[in-house]
Amino acid sequence: MIRYPNGKTYQPKQAASSLKKKPSYSNRGMTLEDDLNETNIYYLNHSIAVIHKKPTPVQIVHVDYPKRSAAVIKEAYFKQSSTTDYNGVYKGRYIDFEAKETKSRTSFPLQNFHDHQIEHMKQVVAQGGICFVIISAFGEIYFLEAEKLFYFWERKNQNGRKSIRKDELEEAGHPISLGYSPRIDYIKVIDQLYFSPS
Amino acid sequence: MIRYPNGKTYQPKQAASSLKKKPSYSNRGMTLEDDLNETNIYYLNHSIAVIHKKPTPVQIVHVDYPKRSAAVIKEAYFKQSSTTDYNGVYKGRYIDFEAKETKSRTSFPLQNFHDHQIEHMKQVVAQGGICFVIISAFGEIYFLEAEKLFYFWERKNQNGRKSIRKDELEEAGHPISLGYSPRIDYIKVIDQLYFSPS
């Protein structure tokens, strides 16, 4: 075992990708959403950050109000979200992100996003918020800054490829190793990118 | 008409409250939520701030998936929110607030909030977010900083009164005059409280 001077163990970057059985969500019985929710609870309980997943947007059409019991929604439809799924605050700064996974072994399809979400991310970036996506792909978790996603999105809009190639994501994204607690420590990446002394 | 040196007209503070017919939501056909949504759209379209109302949290119990048409939620229930209704970003800072109205003419009942919301607001403040409530009461709109709400909440918890008296809200809150566009310019108060040069 190799240790850095700060006592942390050295984790060779190629270790995970060189394993034959990759840590995918399908064989752990957990979803990316589960892990992010656990992570956010950890951050909340340790006063590190206040980040919540937004409720699923629903168009309510019909509600019954039975006597002496709770109102029952009898007809409703799922609506497309006009924003991202997660937001909150870290050290006073606004945090905003979306989480996506792919089972593809070669590329991350951009159809995972829709125009409204990209538009929202651009507004957040313009307003000085910290905006990114967490992508589970190829047996890794990547932190991809919104500005880099915009590049691939523009390329698609100019009749380029409709996905981010594996090697492009490895180059543009920041890998987050899965931990026990917190499971997906994305705040560590935020610290490095936005709060490290320059 | 009296004008300040900066050209703004002087609005005597007692003007609205001395009117016999107060500008209440019931006789304008608009809700506080409508006005805040319009305000947030204005802020978004003018690149002033990115603030959205969160979707209503719903516990989905049963969904039908008819062939060749959209999924229909057939049974669902309203859930109590564990956070506040509005959040977003202004000049990089995290903004978080709740909006409440009362028809009482003498006080604002604290039962408009529940423990989870107050707990959330405390977490936001501890994390350096800008947190407040917008209260429609006594024919006025008030911006009340979360820290001041906590005072009244603690007083209630120590067997004190269960409401904020009219004169207390006038003293602790910042009045926001209803405008045409934006209708409830709460960013102006945020500028004064958090961004004015000291």
Side-chain angles (χ1 to χ4, degrees), chain B residues 148-166:
Chain B
K148 292 183 176 170
L149 176 64
F150 301 157
Y151 164 78
F152 296 113
W153 190 260
E154 290 310 319
R155 185 176 68 177
K156 172 182 80 71
N157 287 350
Q158 284 159 27
N159 296 313
R161 47 180 301 140
K162 295 186 169 59
S163 64
I164 306 175
R165 280 201 326 266
K166 184 172 187 284

mmCIF file with all atom_site columns, all heavy atoms in Angstrom, chain B residues 148-166:
data_model
loop_
_atom_site.group_PDB
_atom_site.id
_atom_site.type_symbol
_atom_site.label_atom_id
_atom_site.label_alt_id
_atom_site.label_comp_id
_atom_site.label_asym_id
_atom_site.label_entity_id
_atom_site.label_seq_id
_atom_site.pdbx_PDB_ins_code
_atom_site.Cartn_x
_atom_site.Cartn_y
_atom_site.Cartn_z
_atom_site.occupancy
_atom_site.B_iso_or_equiv
_atom_site.pdbx_formal_charge
_atom_site.auth_seq_id
_atom_site.auth_comp_id
_atom_site.auth_asym_id
_atom_site.auth_atom_id
_atom_site.pdbx_PDB_model_num
ATOM 1   N N   . LYS B 1 148 ? -35.176 36.391 12.132 1.00 0.00 ? 148 LYS B N   1
ATOM 2   C CA  . LYS B 1 148 ? -36.205 37.050 12.935 1.00 0.00 ? 148 LYS B CA  1
ATOM 3   C C   . LYS B 1 148 ? -37.391 36.113 13.165 1.00 0.00 ? 148 LYS B C   1
ATOM 4   O O   . LYS B 1 148 ? -38.005 36.125 14.229 1.00 0.00 ? 148 LYS B O   1
ATOM 5   C CB  . LYS B 1 148 ? -36.625 38.357 12.270 1.00 0.00 ? 148 LYS B CB  1
ATOM 6   C CG  . LYS B 1 148 ? -35.484 39.370 12.319 1.00 0.00 ? 148 LYS B CG  1
ATOM 7   C CD  . LYS B 1 148 ? -35.841 40.726 11.746 1.00 0.00 ? 148 LYS B CD  1
ATOM 8   C CE  . LYS B 1 148 ? -34.661 41.673 11.928 1.00 0.00 ? 148 LYS B CE  1
ATOM 9   N NZ  . LYS B 1 148 ? -34.847 42.939 11.195 1.00 0.00 ? 148 LYS B NZ  1
ATOM 10  N N   . LEU B 1 149 ? -37.698 35.298 12.158 1.00 0.00 ? 149 LEU B N   1
ATOM 11  C CA  . LEU B 1 149 ? -38.752 34.289 12.345 1.00 0.00 ? 149 LEU B CA  1
ATOM 12  C C   . LEU B 1 149 ? -38.364 33.328 13.471 1.00 0.00 ? 149 LEU B C   1
ATOM 13  O O   . LEU B 1 149 ? -39.206 32.943 14.295 1.00 0.00 ? 149 LEU B O   1
ATOM 14  C CB  . LEU B 1 149 ? -38.975 33.520 11.042 1.00 0.00 ? 149 LEU B CB  1
ATOM 15  C CG  . LEU B 1 149 ? -39.985 32.366 11.096 1.00 0.00 ? 149 LEU B CG  1
ATOM 16  C CD1 . LEU B 1 149 ? -41.394 32.872 11.400 1.00 0.00 ? 149 LEU B CD1 1
ATOM 17  C CD2 . LEU B 1 149 ? -39.978 31.571 9.798  1.00 0.00 ? 149 LEU B CD2 1
ATOM 18  N N   . PHE B 1 150 ? -37.079 32.940 13.503 1.00 0.00 ? 150 PHE B N   1
ATOM 19  C CA  . PHE B 1 150 ? -36.620 31.998 14.546 1.00 0.00 ? 150 PHE B CA  1
ATOM 20  C C   . PHE B 1 150 ? -36.903 32.554 15.945 1.00 0.00 ? 150 PHE B C   1
ATOM 21  O O   . PHE B 1 150 ? -37.237 31.813 16.854 1.00 0.00 ? 150 PHE B O   1
ATOM 22  C CB  . PHE B 1 150 ? -35.112 31.707 14.412 1.00 0.00 ? 150 PHE B CB  1
ATOM 23  C CG  . PHE B 1 150 ? -34.701 31.117 13.102 1.00 0.00 ? 150 PHE B CG  1
ATOM 24  C CD1 . PHE B 1 150 ? -33.391 31.242 12.643 1.00 0.00 ? 150 PHE B CD1 1
ATOM 25  C CD2 . PHE B 1 150 ? -35.619 30.426 12.308 1.00 0.00 ? 150 PHE B CD2 1
ATOM 26  C CE1 . PHE B 1 150 ? -32.998 30.698 11.422 1.00 0.00 ? 150 PHE B CE1 1
ATOM 27  C CE2 . PHE B 1 150 ? -35.230 29.873 11.072 1.00 0.00 ? 150 PHE B CE2 1
ATOM 28  C CZ  . PHE B 1 150 ? -33.917 30.020 10.640 1.00 0.00 ? 150 PHE B CZ  1
ATOM 29  N N   . TYR B 1 151 ? -36.741 33.882 16.096 1.00 0.00 ? 151 TYR B N   1
ATOM 30  C CA  . TYR B 1 151 ? -36.997 34.501 17.400 1.00 0.00 ? 151 TYR B CA  1
ATOM 31  C C   . TYR B 1 151 ? -38.443 34.261 17.846 1.00 0.00 ? 151 TYR B C   1
ATOM 32  O O   . TYR B 1 151 ? -38.699 33.828 18.969 1.00 0.00 ? 151 TYR B O   1
ATOM 33  C CB  . TYR B 1 151 ? -36.690 36.009 17.338 1.00 0.00 ? 151 TYR B CB  1
ATOM 34  C CG  . TYR B 1 151 ? -37.277 36.763 18.494 1.00 0.00 ? 151 TYR B CG  1
ATOM 35  C CD1 . TYR B 1 151 ? -36.670 36.742 19.748 1.00 0.00 ? 151 TYR B CD1 1
ATOM 36  C CD2 . TYR B 1 151 ? -38.481 37.469 18.351 1.00 0.00 ? 151 TYR B CD2 1
ATOM 37  C CE1 . TYR B 1 151 ? -37.225 37.413 20.826 1.00 0.00 ? 151 TYR B CE1 1
ATOM 38  C CE2 . TYR B 1 151 ? -39.049 38.135 19.420 1.00 0.00 ? 151 TYR B CE2 1
ATOM 39  C CZ  . TYR B 1 151 ? -38.423 38.106 20.656 1.00 0.00 ? 151 TYR B CZ  1
ATOM 40  O OH  . TYR B 1 151 ? -38.982 38.755 21.721 1.00 0.00 ? 151 TYR B OH  1
ATOM 41  N N   . PHE B 1 152 ? -39.386 34.526 16.908 1.00 0.00 ? 152 PHE B N   1
ATOM 42  C CA  . PHE B 1 152 ? -40.796 34.349 17.262 1.00 0.00 ? 152 PHE B CA  1
ATOM 43  C C   . PHE B 1 152 ? -41.127 32.869 17.479 1.00 0.00 ? 152 PHE B C   1
ATOM 44  O O   . PHE B 1 152 ? -41.948 32.515 18.319 1.00 0.00 ? 152 PHE B O   1
ATOM 45  C CB  . PHE B 1 152 ? -41.699 34.947 16.176 1.00 0.00 ? 152 PHE B CB  1
ATOM 46  C CG  . PHE B 1 152 ? -41.541 36.437 16.037 1.00 0.00 ? 152 PHE B CG  1
ATOM 47  C CD1 . PHE B 1 152 ? -40.991 36.996 14.887 1.00 0.00 ? 152 PHE B CD1 1
ATOM 48  C CD2 . PHE B 1 152 ? -41.931 37.295 17.072 1.00 0.00 ? 152 PHE B CD2 1
ATOM 49  C CE1 . PHE B 1 152 ? -40.829 38.364 14.756 1.00 0.00 ? 152 PHE B CE1 1
ATOM 50  C CE2 . PHE B 1 152 ? -41.780 38.672 16.956 1.00 0.00 ? 152 PHE B CE2 1
ATOM 51  C CZ  . PHE B 1 152 ? -41.230 39.201 15.799 1.00 0.00 ? 152 PHE B CZ  1
ATOM 52  N N   . TRP B 1 153 ? -40.471 32.007 16.693 1.00 0.00 ? 153 TRP B N   1
ATOM 53  C CA  . TRP B 1 153 ? -40.682 30.570 16.813 1.00 0.00 ? 153 TRP B CA  1
ATOM 54  C C   . TRP B 1 153 ? -40.203 30.067 18.181 1.00 0.00 ? 153 TRP B C   1
ATOM 55  O O   . TRP B 1 153 ? -40.893 29.293 18.847 1.00 0.00 ? 153 TRP B O   1
ATOM 56  C CB  . TRP B 1 153 ? -39.939 29.848 15.679 1.00 0.00 ? 153 TRP B CB  1
ATOM 57  C CG  . TRP B 1 153 ? -40.270 28.398 15.563 1.00 0.00 ? 153 TRP B CG  1
ATOM 58  C CD1 . TRP B 1 153 ? -39.541 27.344 16.027 1.00 0.00 ? 153 TRP B CD1 1
ATOM 59  C CD2 . TRP B 1 153 ? -41.433 27.836 14.940 1.00 0.00 ? 153 TRP B CD2 1
ATOM 60  N NE1 . TRP B 1 153 ? -40.167 26.164 15.731 1.00 0.00 ? 153 TRP B NE1 1
ATOM 61  C CE2 . TRP B 1 153 ? -41.329 26.431 15.058 1.00 0.00 ? 153 TRP B CE2 1
ATOM 62  C CE3 . TRP B 1 153 ? -42.547 28.373 14.296 1.00 0.00 ? 153 TRP B CE3 1
ATOM 63  C CZ2 . TRP B 1 153 ? -42.296 25.559 14.553 1.00 0.00 ? 153 TRP B CZ2 1
ATOM 64  C CZ3 . TRP B 1 153 ? -43.512 27.515 13.790 1.00 0.00 ? 153 TRP B CZ3 1
ATOM 65  C CH2 . TRP B 1 153 ? -43.381 26.132 13.918 1.00 0.00 ? 153 TRP B CH2 1
ATOM 66  N N   . GLU B 1 154 ? -39.033 30.532 18.625 1.00 0.00 ? 154 GLU B N   1
ATOM 67  C CA  . GLU B 1 154 ? -38.503 30.146 19.932 1.00 0.00 ? 154 GLU B CA  1
ATOM 68  C C   . GLU B 1 154 ? -39.416 30.643 21.046 1.00 0.00 ? 154 GLU B C   1
ATOM 69  O O   . GLU B 1 154 ? -39.659 29.939 22.026 1.00 0.00 ? 154 GLU B O   1
ATOM 70  C CB  . GLU B 1 154 ? -37.090 30.698 20.130 1.00 0.00 ? 154 GLU B CB  1
ATOM 71  C CG  . GLU B 1 154 ? -36.016 30.050 19.272 1.00 0.00 ? 154 GLU B CG  1
ATOM 72  C CD  . GLU B 1 154 ? -36.038 28.530 19.331 1.00 0.00 ? 154 GLU B CD  1
ATOM 73  O OE1 . GLU B 1 154 ? -36.235 27.977 20.415 1.00 0.00 ? 154 GLU B OE1 1
ATOM 74  O OE2 . GLU B 1 154 ? -35.896 27.897 18.258 1.00 0.00 ? 154 GLU B OE2 1
ATOM 75  N N   . ARG B 1 155 ? -39.903 31.866 20.887 1.00 0.00 ? 155 ARG B N   1
ATOM 76  C CA  . ARG B 1 155 ? -40.811 32.426 21.894 1.00 0.00 ? 155 ARG B CA  1
ATOM 77  C C   . ARG B 1 155 ? -42.047 31.527 22.047 1.00 0.00 ? 155 ARG B C   1
ATOM 78  O O   . ARG B 1 155 ? -42.473 31.219 23.156 1.00 0.00 ? 155 ARG B O   1
ATOM 79  C CB  . ARG B 1 155 ? -41.226 33.843 21.483 1.00 0.00 ? 155 ARG B CB  1
ATOM 80  C CG  . ARG B 1 155 ? -42.060 34.558 22.521 1.00 0.00 ? 155 ARG B CG  1
ATOM 81  C CD  . ARG B 1 155 ? -42.368 35.984 22.124 1.00 0.00 ? 155 ARG B CD  1
ATOM 82  N NE  . ARG B 1 155 ? -43.263 36.063 20.963 1.00 0.00 ? 155 ARG B NE  1
ATOM 83  C CZ  . ARG B 1 155 ? -43.725 37.203 20.460 1.00 0.00 ? 155 ARG B CZ  1
ATOM 84  N NH1 . ARG B 1 155 ? -43.358 38.361 20.991 1.00 0.00 ? 155 ARG B NH1 1
ATOM 85  N NH2 . ARG B 1 155 ? -44.521 37.202 19.409 1.00 0.00 ? 155 ARG B NH2 1
ATOM 86  N N   . LYS B 1 156 ? -42.601 31.070 20.895 1.00 0.00 ? 156 LYS B N   1
ATOM 87  C CA  . LYS B 1 156 ? -43.744 30.154 20.914 1.00 0.00 ? 156 LYS B CA  1
ATOM 88  C C   . LYS B 1 156 ? -43.367 28.858 21.654 1.00 0.00 ? 156 LYS B C   1
ATOM 89  O O   . LYS B 1 156 ? -44.126 28.366 22.502 1.00 0.00 ? 156 LYS B O   1
ATOM 90  C CB  . LYS B 1 156 ? -44.167 29.828 19.478 1.00 0.00 ? 156 LYS B CB  1
ATOM 91  C CG  . LYS B 1 156 ? -45.234 28.728 19.383 1.00 0.00 ? 156 LYS B CG  1
ATOM 92  C CD  . LYS B 1 156 ? -45.586 28.407 17.944 1.00 0.00 ? 156 LYS B CD  1
ATOM 93  C CE  . LYS B 1 156 ? -44.582 27.486 17.256 1.00 0.00 ? 156 LYS B CE  1
ATOM 94  N NZ  . LYS B 1 156 ? -44.612 26.094 17.750 1.00 0.00 ? 156 LYS B NZ  1
ATOM 95  N N   . ASN B 1 157 ? -42.183 28.305 21.318 1.00 0.00 ? 157 ASN B N   1
ATOM 96  C CA  . ASN B 1 157 ? -41.758 27.046 21.931 1.00 0.00 ? 157 ASN B CA  1
ATOM 97  C C   . ASN B 1 157 ? -41.540 27.164 23.434 1.00 0.00 ? 157 ASN B C   1
ATOM 98  O O   . ASN B 1 157 ? -41.590 26.173 24.146 1.00 0.00 ? 157 ASN B O   1
ATOM 99  C CB  . ASN B 1 157 ? -40.486 26.525 21.256 1.00 0.00 ? 157 ASN B CB  1
ATOM 100 C CG  . ASN B 1 157 ? -40.773 25.975 19.874 1.00 0.00 ? 157 ASN B CG  1
ATOM 101 O OD1 . ASN B 1 157 ? -41.940 25.812 19.498 1.00 0.00 ? 157 ASN B OD1 1
ATOM 102 N ND2 . ASN B 1 157 ? -39.727 25.695 19.114 1.00 0.00 ? 157 ASN B ND2 1
ATOM 103 N N   . GLN B 1 158 ? -41.289 28.403 23.888 1.00 0.00 ? 158 GLN B N   1
ATOM 104 C CA  . GLN B 1 158 ? -41.143 28.614 25.336 1.00 0.00 ? 158 GLN B CA  1
ATOM 105 C C   . GLN B 1 158 ? -42.459 29.091 25.932 1.00 0.00 ? 158 GLN B C   1
ATOM 106 O O   . GLN B 1 158 ? -42.490 29.942 26.815 1.00 0.00 ? 158 GLN B O   1
ATOM 107 C CB  . GLN B 1 158 ? -40.008 29.609 25.595 1.00 0.00 ? 158 GLN B CB  1
ATOM 108 C CG  . GLN B 1 158 ? -38.631 28.953 25.424 1.00 0.00 ? 158 GLN B CG  1
ATOM 109 C CD  . GLN B 1 158 ? -37.537 29.957 25.160 1.00 0.00 ? 158 GLN B CD  1
ATOM 110 O OE1 . GLN B 1 158 ? -37.636 31.107 25.556 1.00 0.00 ? 158 GLN B OE1 1
ATOM 111 N NE2 . GLN B 1 158 ? -36.481 29.526 24.487 1.00 0.00 ? 158 GLN B NE2 1
ATOM 112 N N   . ASN B 1 159 ? -43.557 28.539 25.390 1.00 0.00 ? 159 ASN B N   1
ATOM 113 C CA  . ASN B 1 159 ? -44.911 28.817 25.876 1.00 0.00 ? 159 ASN B CA  1
ATOM 114 C C   . ASN B 1 159 ? -45.307 30.288 25.744 1.00 0.00 ? 159 ASN B C   1
ATOM 115 O O   . ASN B 1 159 ? -46.154 30.774 26.492 1.00 0.00 ? 159 ASN B O   1
ATOM 116 C CB  . ASN B 1 159 ? -45.071 28.344 27.320 1.00 0.00 ? 159 ASN B CB  1
ATOM 117 C CG  . ASN B 1 159 ? -44.931 26.847 27.420 1.00 0.00 ? 159 ASN B CG  1
ATOM 118 O OD1 . ASN B 1 159 ? -45.546 26.117 26.620 1.00 0.00 ? 159 ASN B OD1 1
ATOM 119 N ND2 . ASN B 1 159 ? -44.113 26.364 28.334 1.00 0.00 ? 159 ASN B ND2 1
ATOM 120 N N   . GLY B 1 160 ? -44.681 30.973 24.793 1.00 0.00 ? 160 GLY B N   1
ATOM 121 C CA  . GLY B 1 160 ? -45.079 32.346 24.515 1.00 0.00 ? 160 GLY B CA  1
ATOM 122 C C   . GLY B 1 160 ? -46.233 32.354 23.521 1.00 0.00 ? 160 GLY B C   1
ATOM 123 O O   . GLY B 1 160 ? -46.836 31.326 23.239 1.00 0.00 ? 160 GLY B O   1
ATOM 124 N N   . ARG B 1 161 ? -46.531 33.526 22.924 1.00 0.00 ? 161 ARG B N   1
ATOM 125 C CA  . ARG B 1 161 ? -47.682 33.608 22.020 1.00 0.00 ? 161 ARG B CA  1
ATOM 126 C C   . ARG B 1 161 ? -47.435 32.814 20.731 1.00 0.00 ? 161 ARG B C   1
ATOM 127 O O   . ARG B 1 161 ? -46.296 32.649 20.289 1.00 0.00 ? 161 ARG B O   1
ATOM 128 C CB  . ARG B 1 161 ? -48.124 35.036 21.740 1.00 0.00 ? 161 ARG B CB  1
ATOM 129 C CG  . ARG B 1 161 ? -47.036 36.047 21.388 1.00 0.00 ? 161 ARG B CG  1
ATOM 130 C CD  . ARG B 1 161 ? -47.687 37.403 21.141 1.00 0.00 ? 161 ARG B CD  1
ATOM 131 N NE  . ARG B 1 161 ? -48.664 37.329 20.056 1.00 0.00 ? 161 ARG B NE  1
ATOM 132 C CZ  . ARG B 1 161 ? -49.834 37.941 20.062 1.00 0.00 ? 161 ARG B CZ  1
ATOM 133 N NH1 . ARG B 1 161 ? -50.209 38.677 21.077 1.00 0.00 ? 161 ARG B NH1 1
ATOM 134 N NH2 . ARG B 1 161 ? -50.646 37.823 19.040 1.00 0.00 ? 161 ARG B NH2 1
ATOM 135 N N   . LYS B 1 162 ? -48.519 32.330 20.148 1.00 0.00 ? 162 LYS B N   1
ATOM 136 C CA  . LYS B 1 162 ? -48.449 31.448 18.981 1.00 0.00 ? 162 LYS B CA  1
ATOM 137 C C   . LYS B 1 162 ? -48.517 32.223 17.674 1.00 0.00 ? 162 LYS B C   1
ATOM 138 O O   . LYS B 1 162 ? -48.753 31.643 16.608 1.00 0.00 ? 162 LYS B O   1
ATOM 139 C CB  . LYS B 1 162 ? -49.588 30.421 19.036 1.00 0.00 ? 162 LYS B CB  1
ATOM 140 C CG  . LYS B 1 162 ? -49.470 29.449 20.219 1.00 0.00 ? 162 LYS B CG  1
ATOM 141 C CD  . LYS B 1 162 ? -50.541 28.380 20.141 1.00 0.00 ? 162 LYS B CD  1
ATOM 142 C CE  . LYS B 1 162 ? -50.260 27.271 21.145 1.00 0.00 ? 162 LYS B CE  1
ATOM 143 N NZ  . LYS B 1 162 ? -50.213 27.775 22.557 1.00 0.00 ? 162 LYS B NZ  1
ATOM 144 N N   . SER B 1 163 ? -48.331 33.534 17.746 1.00 0.00 ? 163 SER B N   1
ATOM 145 C CA  . SER B 1 163 ? -48.418 34.348 16.538 1.00 0.00 ? 163 SER B CA  1
ATOM 146 C C   . SER B 1 163 ? -47.472 35.538 16.632 1.00 0.00 ? 163 SER B C   1
ATOM 147 O O   . SER B 1 163 ? -46.932 35.842 17.698 1.00 0.00 ? 163 SER B O   1
ATOM 148 C CB  . SER B 1 163 ? -49.860 34.836 16.334 1.00 0.00 ? 163 SER B CB  1
ATOM 149 O OG  . SER B 1 163 ? -50.211 35.684 17.402 1.00 0.00 ? 163 SER B OG  1
ATOM 150 N N   . ILE B 1 164 ? -47.289 36.197 15.465 1.00 0.00 ? 164 ILE B N   1
ATOM 151 C CA  . ILE B 1 164 ? -46.521 37.445 15.440 1.00 0.00 ? 164 ILE B CA  1
ATOM 152 C C   . ILE B 1 164 ? -47.536 38.587 15.413 1.00 0.00 ? 164 ILE B C   1
ATOM 153 O O   . ILE B 1 164 ? -48.378 38.630 14.505 1.00 0.00 ? 164 ILE B O   1
ATOM 154 C CB  . ILE B 1 164 ? -45.613 37.504 14.191 1.00 0.00 ? 164 ILE B CB  1
ATOM 155 C CG1 . ILE B 1 164 ? -44.720 36.256 14.097 1.00 0.00 ? 164 ILE B CG1 1
ATOM 156 C CG2 . ILE B 1 164 ? -44.783 38.782 14.194 1.00 0.00 ? 164 ILE B CG2 1
ATOM 157 C CD1 . ILE B 1 164 ? -43.884 36.196 12.821 1.00 0.00 ? 164 ILE B CD1 1
ATOM 158 N N   . ARG B 1 165 ? -47.493 39.472 16.392 1.00 0.00 ? 165 ARG B N   1
ATOM 159 C CA  . ARG B 1 165 ? -48.434 40.596 16.425 1.00 0.00 ? 165 ARG B CA  1
ATOM 160 C C   . ARG B 1 165 ? -48.182 41.523 15.232 1.00 0.00 ? 165 ARG B C   1
ATOM 161 O O   . ARG B 1 165 ? -47.068 41.642 14.728 1.00 0.00 ? 165 ARG B O   1
ATOM 162 C CB  . ARG B 1 165 ? -48.269 41.407 17.708 1.00 0.00 ? 165 ARG B CB  1
ATOM 163 C CG  . ARG B 1 165 ? -48.954 40.821 18.944 1.00 0.00 ? 165 ARG B CG  1
ATOM 164 C CD  . ARG B 1 165 ? -49.178 41.910 20.022 1.00 0.00 ? 165 ARG B CD  1
ATOM 165 N NE  . ARG B 1 165 ? -48.113 42.905 20.056 1.00 0.00 ? 165 ARG B NE  1
ATOM 166 C CZ  . ARG B 1 165 ? -47.054 42.840 20.874 1.00 0.00 ? 165 ARG B CZ  1
ATOM 167 N NH1 . ARG B 1 165 ? -46.920 41.839 21.719 1.00 0.00 ? 165 ARG B NH1 1
ATOM 168 N NH2 . ARG B 1 165 ? -46.137 43.787 20.843 1.00 0.00 ? 165 ARG B NH2 1
ATOM 169 N N   . LYS B 1 166 ? -49.244 42.208 14.808 1.00 0.00 ? 166 LYS B N   1
ATOM 170 C CA  . LYS B 1 166 ? -49.160 43.134 13.680 1.00 0.00 ? 166 LYS B CA  1
ATOM 171 C C   . LYS B 1 166 ? -48.005 44.140 13.859 1.00 0.00 ? 166 LYS B C   1
ATOM 172 O O   . LYS B 1 166 ? -47.177 44.315 12.961 1.00 0.00 ? 166 LYS B O   1
ATOM 173 C CB  . LYS B 1 166 ? -50.491 43.876 13.531 1.00 0.00 ? 166 LYS B CB  1
ATOM 174 C CG  . LYS B 1 166 ? -50.616 44.808 12.336 1.00 0.00 ? 166 LYS B CG  1
ATOM 175 C CD  . LYS B 1 166 ? -52.061 45.309 12.232 1.00 0.00 ? 166 LYS B CD  1
ATOM 176 C CE  . LYS B 1 166 ? -52.313 46.115 10.976 1.00 0.00 ? 166 LYS B CE  1
ATOM 177 N NZ  . LYS B 1 166 ? -51.776 47.488 11.015 1.00 0.00 ? 166 LYS B NZ  1
#
